[in-house]
Amino acid sequence: MTLNPSGTLDVDPLLDDPQTRIVVCCGSGGVGKTTTAAALGLRAAERGRKVVVLTIDPARRLAQSMGIDSLDNTPRRVKDIATAEGAEGGELHAMMLDMKRTFDEIVEAHADEERAKAILGNPFYQSLSAGFAGTQEYMAMEKLGQLRSRDEWDLIVVDTPPSRSALDFLDAPTRLGSFLDGKLIRLLMAPAKVGGRAGMKFLNVGMSLMTGTLGKLLGGQLLRDVQTFVAAMDTTFGGFRTRADATYKLLQAPGTAFLVVAAPERDALREAAYFVERLAAEKMPLAGLVLNRVHGSGAGRLSAERALAAAENLDERRIVDQGGGKEEDRATPEALPETLPEAPSEAPLEASEASPETSGAAPTAEPSIEQLTAGLLRLHAERMRLVAREQRTRDRFTALHPEVAVTEVAALPGDVHDLTGLRDIGERLAAGGTPAGVV
């Protein structure tokens, strides 16, 4: 962790350090993890690192912002990287996790061609690889392990899955590994391993009660699919737990840095505090907190209270002024016409249907300078209250976790759509604080 005396996270030294090989962005949903990961990857590449960004977000906005038609399970190189002067060799690649394809690659890598074909075509495997609880998180870690083992990139930036808990990916390898290496799977595999008549005898005696129960719960065809599946996987499953343990150790290694991403809101920072504590308990190297979409004001010296008081004074002046007026602007009997037009024979229009021309109502007047100023003052007061609320929320977090370095990213007026927007986010990440006048 790079912490300067002010408690601010220094992002550039973290990205520039050749010992930093993996940066993991985690946090609750909707706080900007994907954009943060992409901005970090772009900034690192333009500072001379060879980077791949692994995202689990299926939204197309990341690919579009990088000038790529679409992302898939294969790293795609991003063009138009503006490498800084003296920072040669920088490259940026991006990819989006394909959970099922990654699972298929594991099968293909650890089984011969005939067995792999049987596994990939098995209905139970197809359901397992597409939707088993924790499969996405596990495959994200599998893909991370694959990328790291290739040693093709200086830096891997990981955007963690949008799970119910953003740290599910820490538990998923253990959960899936335990399932695949567990007693149920070993029991289902046992007949295939014993083989021949002895295997059938074991199946008939040792599994009669279990298969009867499972048959009622799952259905006979599904149970046969499971048995066929595990028979084909009798040697393949053993590597899951080993690889899960290796990936877990990789995440604990000094070359990995976790960044917790949060918005300056109570619930998001409560989740961030949980992430920080969980990472510490798991002995994962935390680099710091990215506080995203922070608001500020270029007129911070004018408090909300003073702004509201000024707005009220302007309103009172306007009301008082409306009571007077120039004598010549007032209607007098002499100014009225001698005769009034006759009333139309038709029924009068309803108030909602009448127009200024037909009803005799005066057209709506343009707002005065005082009205506009009062409105702006009230908007400023709302902004200052928001700024104060965000600051109190951050202060509560830092009071609980003073050891955590923080960098603030000022809110943007719109979404990020291109490399320029990502570059702007990267600059704000590196600035470490909220510039005056941000929106």
Side-chain angles (χ1 to χ4, degrees), residues 85-325:
E85 185 177 353
E88 299 179 358
E91 292 182 11
L92 178 62
H93 298 74
M95 63 181 297
M96 185 180 72
L97 177 72
D98 184 328
M99 176 180 67
K100 189 179 186 310
R101 182 59 201 143
T102 301
F103 211 147
D104 292 349
E105 290 172 355
I106 296 171
V107 173
E108 293 166 350
H110 295 89
D112 58 53
E113 185 176 353
E114 183 177 351
R115 182 170 295 169
K117 185 177 180 180
I119 294 170
L120 296 177
N122 184 275
F124 177 74
Y125 167 77
Q126 292 172 358
S127 297
L128 174 70
S129 61
F132 185 80
T135 303
Q136 185 184 49
E137 291 82 358
Y138 179 85
M139 292 306 151
M141 295 301 98
E142 277 278 355
K143 182 57 67 176
L144 171 60
Q146 292 175 12
L147 294 172
R148 186 67 182 84
S149 65
R150 289 166 62 176
D151 206 28
E152 186 175 343
W153 294 277
D154 299 337
L155 179 64
I156 303 168
V157 181
V158 182
D159 164 36
T160 54
S163 317
R164 178 185 56 82
S165 169
L167 288 181
D168 277 351
F169 72 95
L170 293 180
D171 299 322
T174 302
R175 288 202 308 269
L176 190 58
S178 297
F179 169 74
L180 297 176
D181 292 337
K183 292 180 180 179
L184 173 61
I185 293 296
R186 291 201 302 271
L187 187 57
L188 289 170
M189 286 180 182
K193 290 185 177 181
V194 174
R197 292 182 179 178
M200 291 305 297
K201 183 178 179 180
F202 180 92
L203 177 62
N204 291 331
V205 176
M207 296 182 65
S208 58
L209 291 176
M210 185 186 73
T211 54
T213 303
L214 288 177
K216 292 178 182 178
L217 293 174
L218 306 178
Q221 183 59 49
L222 178 56
L223 181 58
R224 286 191 291 273
D225 290 339
V226 173
Q227 291 170 339
T228 304
F229 168 64
V230 297
M233 288 288 281
D234 59 350
T235 58
T236 307
F237 276 160
F240 276 79
R241 186 183 295 277
T242 301
R243 289 194 302 277
D245 291 343
T247 302
Y248 198 82
K249 291 178 181 177
L250 182 65
L251 292 174
Q252 292 176 317
T256 299
F258 280 81
L259 286 173
V260 177
V261 184
E265 301 166 1
R266 184 177 60 181
D267 291 343
L269 279 173
R270 185 185 295 118
E271 284 285 294
Y274 164 72
F275 300 150
V276 167
E277 293 161 7
R278 174 72 191 281
L279 290 170
E282 300 288 342
K283 297 182 179 178
M284 300 289 177
L286 174 64
L289 171 73
V290 174
L291 198 56
N292 213 1
R293 302 168 185 162
V294 177
H295 294 87
S297 173
R301 295 175 62 182
L302 178 60
S303 68
E305 293 74 14
R306 290 178 58 196
L308 286 175
E312 290 174 2
N313 287 337
L314 285 170
D315 284 342
E316 290 175 1
R317 276 185 54 195
R318 184 169 58 85
I319 293 171
V320 170
D321 288 346
Q322 285 178 347

Side-chain angles (χ1 to χ4, degrees), residues 264 269 291 294-295 385-398 408 434:
L269 279 173
L291 198 56
V294 177
H295 294 87
R385 286 172 173 170
L386 175 61
V387 170
R389 185 166 62 250
E390 291 181 351
Q391 186 61 49
R392 287 194 301 271
T393 305
R394 174 193 163 151
D395 289 345
R396 282 195 292 269
F397 176 87
T398 53
E408 296 185 359
T434 307

